[in-house]
Amino acid sequence: MKALDELTFDNRFARLGDAFSTHVLPEPLDEPRLVVASDAAMALLDLDPTTAETPVFAELFGGHKLWAEAEPRAMVYSGHQFGGYTPQLGDGRGLLLGEVYNQAGEHWDLHLKGAGMTPYSRMGDGRAVLRSSIREFLASEALHALGIPSSRALCVIGSSTPVWREKQERGAMVLRLAPSHIRFGHFEYFYYTKQPEQQAELAEHVLNLHYPECREQPEPYLAMFREIVERNAEMIAKWQAYGFCHGVMNTDNMSILGITFDFGPFAFLDDFDAHFICNHSDHEGRYSFSNQVPIGQWNLSALAQALTPFISVDALKEALGLYLPVYQAHYLDLMRRRLGLTTAEDDDQQLVERLLKLMQNSGVDYTLFFRRLGDEPAALAVTRLRDDFVDLAGFDAWADLYKARVARDGDDSEAKRRERMHAVNPLYILRNYLAQSAIAAAESGDYSEVRRLHEVLTKPFEEQAGMEQYAQRPPDWGKHLEISCSS
Ligand code: AMP
Ligand code: MG
């Protein structure tokens, strides 16, 4: 375990120089205070979790103090936003404080979001509000606990600093951790601004630090791109299987590591709805739940375009061709497991699709359906779940297919089926209304609810005593919350 002042830095991105990022100091928050910290994320830095409660912790992550070795930088990037190219974006309110390595030899970027204005702030104030910082914190840690690759969050620091959104709110900072903060948009920036040398330097940097095994391949850059395609396909398969809607899949929000990145108006599905749009400024539904799959490929094509100086067009196209099959394989594998199946049959895809079609417009809670399906033997479980569906005849036909499929899957004890299914079907997910209740309490100075919710979500598959209220369908007020994208 380390004390806060014992972190060891190795700022590899900062060393790339001023073409890639700009030195900016964090602008401190007034009266910084700890809202919530993640013990699991603290452990990634070998930090003693009790140090989160010390005043110096709030000062460090509230922008008042810096380690001597930190080199705060705002990164420059660009990206396609809602399908159109924005020539210059960049860290408008977040700073890469530096790269810390732990005892296991892993490097973690420390990124402080809400740290004030930078040369890339455009019309923004450089701030993040408490509400959106809590949402990012809870989502990062909850996705990780579900096994969905994600950036992590160390803590949220609240303050008395006024920040103006639709109304006056309070500023906060979230400390984000990731092995890299390089986005598709970094490559797009150097490609479209015609800086081939810097672009090559960036590609070398990513290859050496994040895809070193690709060095051994005959075409290292191509191998790296393939890996990026596969990792993104796998990540999106997990989003779809667990009902996670990102909401702003712009290429500046896509990580070259294939981890979930930049949380805005995201949502987990309550009732299953393939057409669900969680971002209320997404009028055309570009980033609707089911569109996430083709958009993942669209985004990878935008990255491929930026990599044309390094890789032949034919090879890029071939690599992009991996996306759908890899997506499909991961998705089907996870959905089979969610249904309790241990073997594969050709018609399984259809079994899943038919179920989702029946769920559509039926008001079936997506998470609880699978959890309850595993509570009991198949025949009993489908009888109990039947009442949730509108098309009863349709559901009965599906249930017959499912029971027959379960029977073919092999002999199974009730206990084994439950254990296997509960290990992949969460009881607790970050429902918008749960986040909303915790945020409302935090905004009036009570952080206990955020902390409790975070605790519950770190063990989503384990039934926790006294936590029944976190495993419920939303009450009427919490069903179709509009989450502001002004964050
Ligand atoms: P986002 O929608 O959070 O992914 O942000 C898109 C771009 O806008 C990024 O370049 C952000 O840094 C920038 N941005 C978002 N909010 C602010 C803000 N309040 N102040 C400055 N820049 C911002
Ligand atoms: Mg962003």
Side-chain angles (χ1 to χ4, degrees), residues 165-181:
R165 293 295 179 257
E166 282 97 356
K167 56 183 171 57
Q168 187 180 294
E169 300 190 41
R170 298 288 171 196
M173 292 185 190
V174 57
L175 193 285
R176 178 163 66 194
L177 296 174
S180 169
H181 274 66

Side-chain angles (χ1 to χ4, degrees), residues 77 81 90 93 113 176 183 248 250 252-253 261-262:
Y77 50 82
Q81 298 186 305
R93 55 165 165 177
K113 191 165 175 177
R176 178 163 66 194
R183 307 146 189 260
V248 203
N250 294 335
D252 54 300
N253 292 339
F261 202 66
D262 257 7

Side-chain angles (χ1 to χ4, degrees), residues 203-251:
E204 279 297 294
H205 178 88
V206 175
L207 184 66
N208 289 335
L209 301 191
H210 304 294
Y211 292 95
E213 66 289 350
C214 295
R215 271 255 169 262
E216 318 301 321
Q217 301 293 319
E219 286 189 71
Y221 288 146
L222 175 59
M224 175 168 82
F225 181 63
R226 280 167 173 271
E227 186 70 25
I228 296 173
V229 170
E230 291 185 8
R231 288 197 198 180
N232 274 275
E234 180 173 355
M235 169 188 77
I236 292 172
K238 290 182 174 169
W239 291 0
Q240 301 309 114
Y242 282 119
F244 177 76
C245 201
H246 181 283
V248 203
M249 289 174 72
N250 294 335
T251 57

Side-chain angles (χ1 to χ4, degrees), residues 346-365:
D346 288 348
D347 290 343
D348 290 344
Q349 174 74 22
Q350 233 189 328
L351 190 71
V352 171
E353 280 169 14
R354 278 183 71 158
L355 173 64
L356 297 183
K357 221 174 233 161
L358 288 161
M359 282 186 176
Q360 182 73 31
N361 298 331
S362 252
V364 176
D365 189 87

Side-chain angles (χ1 to χ4, degrees), residues 246-278:
H246 181 283
V248 203
M249 289 174 72
N250 294 335
T251 57
D252 54 300
N253 292 339
M254 301 299 292
S255 155
I256 50 101
L257 299 179
I259 59 177
T260 315
F261 202 66
D262 257 7
F263 295 88
F266 71 85
F268 277 90
L269 299 181
D270 290 307
D271 292 354
F272 180 78
D273 177 7
H275 314 299
F276 180 66
I277 302 165
C278 62

Side-chain angles (χ1 to χ4, degrees), residues 75 77 81-82 88-94 113-114 116-118 120-129 136 163-165 176 183 246 248 250 252-253 261-265 485-487:
M75 296 167 125
Y77 50 82
Q81 298 186 305
F82 289 90
Q88 194 188 293
L89 292 160
D91 291 333
R93 55 165 165 177
K113 191 165 175 177
M117 303 249 272
T118 78
Y120 315 111
S121 295
R122 298 179 298 160
M123 310 298 283
D125 58 7
R127 289 303 191 194
V129 292
E136 167 139 7
V163 174
W164 191 259
R165 293 295 179 257
R176 178 163 66 194
R183 307 146 189 260
H246 181 283
V248 203
N250 294 335
D252 54 300
N253 292 339
F261 202 66
D262 257 7
F263 295 88
C485 348
S486 65
S487 56

